[in-house]
Amino acid sequence: MAVRFTVTKAENDPIGESSSDGPAIGYGSVNKDNGNVPEVKIVDYGDAKYGENQQSKENDPLTTNEVDLEGIHSEKHLALYQDEFKQRPKVANVINGLANFNAMGIMPSETEREKMEEGAGKPKSNKLGTLLGVYLPCIQNIFGVILFIRMTWIVGTAGWLEGFFIVFICCCTTLLTAISMSAIATNGIVPAGGSYFMISRQLGPEFGGAVGILFYLGTSFAAAMYIIGAVEILLKYIAPMAAIPGLGPITDDSAAFNNYRIYGTCLLLLLGLCVFLGVRFVSKFATVSLGCVLLSILAIYVGIFVSAADNSRSPEICLLGDRLLTFESVSLDGVMYCTKDAKISNTSNTTAPLYSKWCKKVNGTDVCDDYFTNNEAHTIKGIPGLASGKFIENLGNTYSTQGNLYGSNVVGNRDRGEIIADITSSFMVLLAIFFPSCTGIMAGSNRSGDLADASKSIPTGTIAAILTTSFVYLSSVLFFGASIEGALLRDKFGESIGGGLSIAQLAWPNEWVILIGSFLSTLGAGLQSLTGAPRLLQAIGQDGVIPILNVFSVTTKNGEPFRALLLTACITELGILIGNLDLIAPIITMFFLMCYGFVNLACALQSLLKTPSWRPKFRFYHWTLSMLGIGLCLVIMFISSWYYALVAIAIAMGIYKYIEYKGAEKEWGDGIRGLAMSAARYSLLKLEEGPPHTKNWRPQILVLMNLDDNMQPKHTKMLSFASQLKAGKGLTLVGTVIEGNYKDHYAEAQAAKLNISKAMTSSKAKGFAEVLIAPDAVQGINHQIQLHGLGGLKHNTVVLGFPHNWRKSEEEKAFSVFIETVRCVSDGQLALLVPKGIAQFPENSEKMQGTIDVWWVVHDGGLLMLLPFLLMQHKVWKHCKMRIFTVAQMEDNSIQMKKDLATFLYHLRIQAEVEVVEMTDSDISAYTYERTMVMEQRISMLKEMRLTKKDIAAEPQRIVDQAHTKSDVKIVLDPVPEEVQNPDPEKPLTTEEKISEANLYTFSPSSSGARQPSPSPVLGKSGSGGNLLEVKPDKKNVRRMHTAVRLNEVIVQKSHEAALVLINLPGPPKNVAGNENYMEFLEVLTEGLDRVLMVRGGGREVITIYS
């Protein structure tokens, strides 16, 4: 009968006091609402039993004890990982910081922790939601001056059909850009910095800096356009008498532009002063401006339907034939006289104004123009209403050359009161003029730092705003074409109605609703542009990508970018000096189209590369839509103004080359760096500039294979697993080692390399194979790990097979090579993947169902989170679902842990079910203690049985000599329960048999009085194996075994049906003496599981929540 060892109950010391050298975050005081997070279950395994087909274990503490177990209880649940906690913190200690963006997998500092503790329980400041934070700001910025002072002219000149097409193209361009931007914005947390941050972090410092400058210039010139538009509304329609007298009449173009320049400069100084004083005034005025925009649009729509029912409010316009005449040319003292008669009435001698302009006295006789003579003067309703039939009349275009009559090649004469074209119009020109009215879609993303949930609000609010404004624009084109006379539509400045605004005449109840509303809203838009542009320039300066702009990163004590504001004011002044809104709009169009094109490029690039960090929550995107957006941007740029387009591209390329020449040492995990991973010499050299950003990290795999006697690779499913992990992207490196001399084994190495290459082809693993000949296997593997790969294509992850039946191997090398490889990989700071049960892993032709379970015990940089995501990109694992389990101990707040973990996964854009498993304060069972003791007995016995060459030679004679001596001692080796099954499953094992099986390889003396055998070189100096019964298990080993047993209990209970189980690989032992113990711990940890992937991170973050 085997000797039974018992233990007493250890004292109930708090778990976790000595688990980590770093500070832990207390969960008890944290009160945080993370919003809509997945439902999480908490499972208590305090009384859980071991696996169904495992040996019975006694949980009751026993009474006798000959071993001091003081301290065994402390941290016993995670003792197997206690050496890891110095560099790899426990999940419970970091999950709160990860969920709240306080750390990138690093323990919070003392200051950060104090702030967290001070802020615990305090309500957070109210942040903006989708409506107030994104939707309404976008509405305000998209609806601009073009709608109020140019929309009717565009419809009248292009006709409502082509006008509709112009608006539709512009709206489609911004909608496609918004879809791409939504994908980028939801691909992680978007900090304050908005659109510039998103573009620059996706395309890199060179393109990011170039696009940032273009966006800045576009915003600055937009401020000029809004200021000029506000001044035009003021001087043309609200207060024409305010024009400077010495410059000429406001109806004259040159006089009007000079007035715009002077008034615009004064208004710029006033607005710049408001911006300098602070954003409070700007924010308050923005509310007023938004209200004016919404009220004005509502008044227009009401007026459209009111005019359809009653057109008595419609203004009268005068035409001579089909030529529209100015109100000034047919009126006296504000009264219209639309008549060809010489006198205004039969009783008056006053000459009619129209007659005096078309007829001249020649030799005392009135001579009139032929057109005047052959055509009649008449008045018509300028806004006849929807039922007037004008919809058909306004279908076609009336493009004109500057100076000609609208829709005619006849040169007009302003002195005769004719309304003529002030610029040459065409489809392309109108497209360039209208496009700025669709910009402003990034107003929501610019407020990303103030949003409660930017990744949710930005796509929803932006797309909703674009759809709303597009509906307004498209419907207004149709309504204007159906309600307003074509001649009045083409009257850009309302000269036929006395200098009134056509759209204001349509509004209800009064034109002043539109005049005041459009002026204030345009003023507010200009104020917003002057506020945003300096901050954008400051952000570029702070990034340091353009050294010459670093001076603009300085702010005042109040945080205002004063220097950037001065430069912005100077650039805006250049736009104001142009004076003509129709000439400023195409410049803005070029800058914004370049910016939108790069947004689409960033999305298309990331979608095609499929980098591991590309996991947008927004699902309604595709690279084809982004490419279509790029095409539209380029087409609009060149058909609008090819020379402006070339200038904008030249500016972007100049900035790009300047940044590249200055060598901006920035690495933001951009798509260009990801593209370089698969490029040739130039890209390899680029990758040598520094390590890839976290967003660009992907597993570059080195698979270490074993060969059989025929030089064929064993376990080829490791290659299939590597190809599934890469999902067809990137390279896979395969290496193996042949022990021996190079010149003797060269042919074998070439044959092995050919066989591996064939196996890689059949497994669809794209990459290269290398066979190394070395005198020692461990040294050869070390060389493989150090030297494999080239430049940026060097491996960062090693796949190593778990040694099969390592207990049965006669040589220690069976597992010592494995452990030395683990040490080498860890020392090289590489990630390590150890598949156990590789024969059960699927081929590439199979389809797996079920779950991929992640048991997250130690934070390893997020590798455990990333690997299932990458596997599920492959068709084999595509239909599997992901579950994440983490371990909570007595001192951890499980409720808070589940919230933080679910929030962290939400921001990682990873969909997974979450469970927090509570490891309660249970005693170390007899099974755990006995298994530890047996493990150490077996190791001691195997050490004594290792034979030197001299011992082997002398052993036969020693056996012969011993045979002549009678011995009553019998040595029995009990079987290992994992490797030997109960021969009769129906017959239950007795208690003694269970204990016998639990004590692996335990010596069982046949009688207490037996004498000891003579000393044997085989058994060592100890003489017999009887003294192995006196081996006392190490306290640390007991704790580690307890961790392995307890974790295995809950893993088998929850994940025995999982398609794949991932768990942290404990760190290797520091010295060779612990090798066998380490292997035993891994066996216990993974018992009862078909497919297990043990993972050890490389010491760096591989996944991020940021965009």
Side-chain angles (χ1 to χ4, degrees):
M1 168 179 176
V3 177
R4 178 175 180 178
F5 289 83
T6 58
V7 296
T8 57
K9 181 177 179 181
E11 296 181 3
N12 291 327
D13 296 329
I15 298 176
E17 289 183 354
S18 59
S19 64
S20 173
D21 292 343
I25 299 175
Y27 282 93
S29 60
V30 179
N31 183 14
K32 173 177 170 292
D33 184 8
N34 288 311
N36 186 16
V37 296
E39 182 66 25
V40 182
K41 295 181 290 183
I42 297 178
V43 184
D44 187 353
Y45 285 95
D47 298 321
K49 304 297 182 185
Y50 199 47
E52 295 176 356
N53 60 346
Q54 302 297 322
Q55 288 75 20
S56 173
K57 293 173 293 296
E58 302 175 29
N59 293 313
D60 295 333
L62 305 178
T63 55
T64 61
N65 175 35
E66 295 182 358
V67 181
D68 181 13
L69 297 180
E70 182 181 357
I72 286 182
H73 191 278
S74 178
E75 252 324 333
K76 61 179 180 292
H77 291 311
L78 297 179
L80 186 58
Y81 296 92
Q82 63 185 5
D83 293 336
E84 300 285 281
F85 293 155
K86 297 179 180 179
Q87 296 180 342
R88 304 165 191 264
K90 194 170 57 174
V91 172
N93 290 354
V94 298
I95 187 62
N96 184 268
L98 292 172
N100 293 281
F101 332 132
N102 292 333
M104 297 298 292
I106 303 172
M107 296 292 292
S109 64
E110 292 289 341
T111 304
E112 290 176 341
R113 196 168 75 257
E114 290 174 0
K115 290 181 179 180
M116 292 173 62
E117 292 173 353
E118 290 176 2
K122 296 181 181 179
K124 292 187 176 180
S125 57
N126 293 328
K127 288 198 170 185
L128 300 175
T130 302
L131 181 65
L132 296 179
V134 180
Y135 179 75
L136 292 179
C138 285
I139 290 286
Q140 177 186 359
N141 281 268
I142 294 174
F143 285 134
V145 64
I146 301 295
L147 172 65
F148 297 110
I149 64 178
R150 290 293 184 271
M151 178 63 91
T152 53
W153 171 70
I154 291 173
V155 174
T157 304
W160 67 259
L161 181 61
E162 291 186 27
F164 186 90
F165 193 48
I166 287 172
V167 175
F168 183 75
I169 291 176
C170 295
C171 292
C172 283
T173 303
T174 55
L175 180 61
L176 292 173
T177 303
I179 292 173
S180 298
M181 184 182 70
S182 298
I184 297 173
T186 58
N187 189 47
I189 301 299
V190 182
S195 53
Y196 166 70
F197 178 91
M198 291 189 295
I199 299 170
S200 62
R201 269 55 179 180
Q202 297 299 325
L203 291 177
E206 294 88 358
F207 279 113
V211 175
I213 293 298
L214 291 174
F215 192 54
Y216 166 73
L217 292 175
T219 306
S220 299
F221 274 94
M225 182 188 72
Y226 290 128
I227 290 174
I228 292 294
V231 172
E232 181 178 319
I233 293 173
L234 176 67
L235 297 182
K236 281 279 189 181
Y237 310 115
I238 296 178
M241 70 290 299
I244 301 174
L247 299 178
I250 195 66
T251 54
D252 181 68
D253 287 344
S254 60
F257 295 154
N258 288 330
N259 275 277
Y260 297 165
R261 295 181 181 109
I262 295 174
Y263 273 92
T265 302
C266 297
L267 187 57
L268 173 63
L269 294 175
L270 180 62
L271 295 180
L273 180 61
C274 294
V275 173
F276 175 71
L277 293 178
V279 296
R280 287 189 176 182
F281 174 78
V282 177
S283 300
K284 292 179 180 179
F285 191 82
T287 305
V288 177
S289 175
L290 176 61
C292 293
V293 169
L294 298 179
L295 182 62
S296 299
I297 293 174
L298 180 62
I300 292 171
Y301 273 89
V302 173
I304 289 172
F305 292 100
V306 169
S307 65
D310 179 16
N311 61 2
S312 60
R313 297 174 52 252
S314 172
E316 299 282 342
I317 56 175
C318 179
L319 292 91
L320 180 61
D322 59 356
R323 299 180 182 179
L324 182 64
L325 303 177
T326 65
F327 180 80
E328 183 182 5
S329 65
V330 295
S331 63
L332 287 174
D333 299 328
V335 179
M336 177 186 293
Y337 297 96
C338 186
T339 178
K340 291 175 59 177
D341 297 337
K343 305 296 181 180
I344 60 175
S345 66
N346 296 329
T347 59
S348 175
N349 293 326
T350 304
T351 303
L354 186 59
Y355 186 87
S356 63
K357 293 183 181 298
W358 287 83
C359 300
K360 303 294 181 184
K361 284 189 178 292
V362 179
N363 298 324
T365 305
D366 291 338
V367 178
C368 297
D369 185 271
D370 291 341
Y371 186 84
F372 179 80
T373 304
N374 298 330
N375 291 277
E376 294 296 327
H378 60 284
T379 62
I380 59 174
K381 294 284 187 181
I383 306 176
L386 291 173
S388 61
K390 296 300 177 182
F391 192 68
I392 302 300
E393 293 182 13
N394 294 331
L395 176 65
N397 66 71
T398 53
Y399 297 127
S400 305
T401 304
Q402 183 178 4
N404 290 353
L405 298 172
Y406 279 105
S408 171
N409 293 325
V410 178
V411 177
N413 188 341
R414 186 174 291 276
D415 293 336
R416 295 186 303 195
E418 294 173 328
I419 296 178
I420 61 177
D422 62 328
I423 63 170
T424 300
S425 59
S426 65
F427 180 87
M428 297 178 291
V429 171
L430 298 184
L431 186 65
I433 291 174
F434 177 77
F435 187 80
S437 65
C438 291
T439 61
I441 63 174
M442 295 184 176
S445 63
N446 289 336
R447 299 178 175 218
S448 56
D450 298 325
L451 299 175
D453 189 350
S455 60
K456 177 182 178 181
S457 297
I458 289 177
T460 305
T462 303
I463 293 177
I466 291 175
L467 293 177
T468 302
T469 54
S470 298
F471 172 78
V472 172
Y473 283 148
L474 293 172
S475 61
S476 64
V477 169
L478 301 178
F479 283 138
F480 292 164
S483 301
I484 304 177
E485 177 67 37
L488 181 59
L489 285 173
R490 292 183 286 275
D491 185 6
K492 180 187 290 187
F493 301 110
E495 294 175 280
S496 62
I497 53 177
L501 189 61
S502 301
I503 198 172
Q505 301 296 324
L506 181 63
W508 181 91
N510 191 280
E511 62 178 331
W512 286 100
V513 175
I514 298 297
L515 295 178
I516 301 299
S518 62
F519 176 75
L520 292 178
S521 64
T522 305
L523 209 61
L527 198 59
Q528 292 283 349
S529 298
L530 284 176
T531 304
R535 284 161 174 76
L536 178 58
L537 182 61
Q538 179 202 7
I540 298 174
Q542 287 180 338
D543 274 343
V545 295
I546 305 177
I548 197 174
L549 297 181
N550 291 349
V551 66
F552 297 106
S553 62
V554 180
T555 60
T556 63
K557 294 181 179 179
N558 296 329
E560 296 297 325
F562 178 68
R563 296 180 183 179
L565 178 60
L566 291 180
L567 180 62
T568 303
C570 294
I571 296 174
T572 304
E573 178 62 20
L574 293 177
I576 291 174
L577 293 178
I578 296 175
N580 190 345
L581 185 144
D582 297 330
L583 299 180
I584 299 174
I587 299 175
I588 301 171
T589 297
M590 295 303 131
F591 288 140
F592 278 108
L593 281 173
M594 284 286 290
C595 182
Y596 294 168
F598 277 112
V599 171
N600 287 295
L601 175 62
C603 182
L605 184 63
Q606 296 285 17
S607 300
L608 291 173
L609 287 177
K610 294 184 179 180
T611 55
S613 64
W614 182 247
R615 305 181 302 276
K617 296 177 186 175
F618 183 78
R619 300 296 181 184
F620 306 101
Y621 74 95
H622 196 267
W623 65 268
T624 55
L625 296 178
S626 300
M627 295 300 293
L628 180 60
I630 296 172
L632 281 176
C633 290
L634 291 175
V635 168
I636 295 176
M637 285 176 63
F638 280 95
I639 69 173
S640 298
S641 177
W642 62 268
Y643 45 89
Y644 276 168
L646 291 178
V647 170
I649 294 174
I651 293 175
M653 293 304 299
I655 298 171
Y656 176 91
K657 298 304 293 184
Y658 172 78
I659 297 174
E660 187 179 48
Y661 173 74
K662 287 294 184 180
E665 297 180 357
K666 298 291 177 182
E667 172 56 53
W668 291 326
D670 49 87
I672 298 302
R673 292 287 195 269
L675 185 61
M677 300 287 286
S678 58
R681 175 181 175 276
Y682 171 77
S683 297
L684 286 174
L685 294 175
K686 291 288 289 182
L687 291 175
E688 284 296 291
E689 295 177 0
H693 190 274
T694 300
K695 290 184 293 181
N696 275 341
W697 192 94
R698 64 183 71 196
Q700 302 291 345
I701 296 175
L702 170 61
V703 182
L704 297 177
M705 301 284 293
N706 283 336
L707 301 175
D708 59 16
D709 296 336
N710 297 322
M711 296 294 114
Q712 294 289 341
K714 296 181 180 178
H715 307 302
T716 55
K717 284 191 176 181
M718 290 178 64
L719 299 176
S720 300
F721 172 72
S723 67
Q724 294 161 16
L725 192 59
K726 301 293 290 187
K729 303 292 182 180
L731 294 176
T732 299
L733 307 175
V734 181
T736 189
V737 176
I738 297 177
E739 285 189 297
N741 190 287
Y742 178 72
K743 64 181 180 179
D744 297 333
H745 297 278
Y746 175 77
E748 295 178 2
Q750 295 303 308
K753 183 175 180 179
L754 180 61
N755 293 334
I756 293 175
S757 298
K758 291 180 179 179
M760 293 176 66
T761 302
S762 62
S763 300
K764 298 181 180 180
K766 300 178 180 179
F768 306 101
E770 288 293 340
V771 179
L772 182 67
I773 303 173
D776 180 72
V778 174
Q779 291 299 321
I781 292 175
N782 289 347
H783 294 159
Q784 289 261 16
I785 293 173
Q786 294 179 61
L787 300 178
H788 239 302
L790 175 64
L793 292 180
K794 190 173 178 64
H795 59 275
N796 55 28
T797 303
V798 177
V799 178
L800 177 64
F802 189 84
H804 181 63
N805 287 336
W806 62 273
R807 290 195 186 102
K808 295 181 179 180
S809 179
E810 297 178 356
E811 299 182 1
E812 183 183 6
K813 183 180 292 186
F815 57 86
S816 63
V817 173
F818 169 78
I819 297 179
E820 288 300 326
T821 304
V822 173
R823 290 193 181 101
C824 179
V825 173
S826 299
D827 294 340
Q829 295 185 344
L830 302 175
L832 178 63
L833 310 181
V834 180
K836 186 172 182 287
I838 189 65
Q840 304 296 326
F841 276 62
E843 297 283 2
N844 287 330
S845 58
E846 298 180 40
K847 299 290 180 66
M848 298 299 295
Q849 302 286 342
T851 62
I852 298 178
D853 289 358
V854 176
W855 286 84
W856 190 23
V857 181
V858 178
H859 181 62
D860 58 352
L863 188 59
L864 277 172
M865 307 292 177
L866 185 61
L867 291 177
F869 172 80
L870 295 179
L871 283 175
M872 289 190 294
Q873 304 308 302
H874 196 274
K875 62 180 181 180
V876 172
W877 305 90
K878 185 177 182 180
H879 300 289
C880 292
K881 295 182 179 180
M882 184 175 170
R883 297 193 300 178
I884 296 181
F885 300 85
T886 191
V887 177
Q889 298 189 79
M890 293 296 294
E891 74 275 14
D892 299 324
N893 187 332
S894 301
I895 302 299
Q896 189 62 40
M897 280 183 65
K898 66 151 186 181
K899 290 183 179 180
D900 292 336
L901 181 56
T903 303
F904 181 52
L905 292 177
Y906 174 75
H907 290 303
L908 285 177
R909 295 91 63 203
I910 292 178
Q911 296 181 354
E913 180 183 348
V914 178
E915 291 192 18
V916 178
V917 179
E918 288 190 342
M919 303 288 285
T920 57
D921 188 7
S922 63
D923 302 314
I924 295 177
S925 65
Y927 173 82
T928 300
Y929 184 79
E930 291 173 358
R931 185 147 188 177
T932 307
M933 182 193 63
V934 170
M935 173 188 71
E936 297 187 356
Q937 288 178 0
R938 177 178 179 273
I939 293 169
S940 298
M941 182 197 69
L942 292 177
K943 286 181 179 179
E944 293 184 354
M945 291 183 63
R946 293 190 183 114
L947 305 178
T948 64
K949 292 182 179 180
K950 183 177 179 180
D951 294 330
I952 294 174
E955 183 65 11
Q957 183 62 39
R958 190 201 63 78
I959 295 175
V960 172
D961 294 340
Q962 187 175 350
H964 297 285
T965 303
K966 184 178 180 181
S967 176
D968 296 329
V969 176
K970 181 180 178 181
I971 298 177
V972 179
L973 298 181
D974 291 337
V976 180
E978 295 95 303
E979 298 172 358
V980 177
Q981 300 295 329
N982 182 14
D984 188 0
E986 297 181 358
K987 182 180 178 181
L989 296 176
T990 64
T991 304
E992 293 184 355
E993 289 173 338
K994 292 179 181 179
I995 297 174
S996 177
E997 284 199 3
N999 291 276
L1000 308 182
Y1001 295 117
T1002 301
F1003 286 96
S1004 302
S1006 59
S1007 65
S1008 59
R1011 59 185 177 88
Q1012 304 298 328
S1014 60
S1016 168
V1018 177
L1019 295 178
K1021 298 179 180 180
S1022 59
S1024 74
N1027 65 332
L1028 293 178
L1029 298 177
E1030 299 178 2
V1031 173
K1032 296 181 180 180
D1034 183 73
K1035 291 185 293 184
K1036 292 183 178 179
N1037 285 340
V1038 174
R1039 291 199 299 267
R1040 292 180 178 126
M1041 182 63 74
H1042 184 75
T1043 300
V1045 170
R1046 292 285 287 129
L1047 279 178
N1048 182 257
E1049 286 180 5
V1050 295
I1051 293 174
V1052 170
Q1053 179 73 18
K1054 295 301 295 181
S1055 302
H1056 63 281
E1057 294 183 354
L1060 179 64
V1061 175
L1062 286 82
I1063 189 170
N1064 294 104
L1065 175 68
K1070 296 180 180 179
N1071 51 64
V1072 179
N1075 285 0
E1076 291 91 340
N1077 293 342
Y1078 181 71
M1079 296 300 298
E1080 191 71 35
F1081 294 145
L1082 296 185
E1083 283 285 0
V1084 174
L1085 184 64
T1086 56
E1087 279 178 347
L1089 301 172
D1090 293 333
R1091 285 178 291 271
V1092 182
L1093 182 64
M1094 292 178 280
V1095 180
R1096 182 172 172 82
R1100 62 161 293 170
E1101 292 293 321
V1102 300
I1103 194 169
T1104 177
I1105 60 177
Y1106 292 99
S1107 172

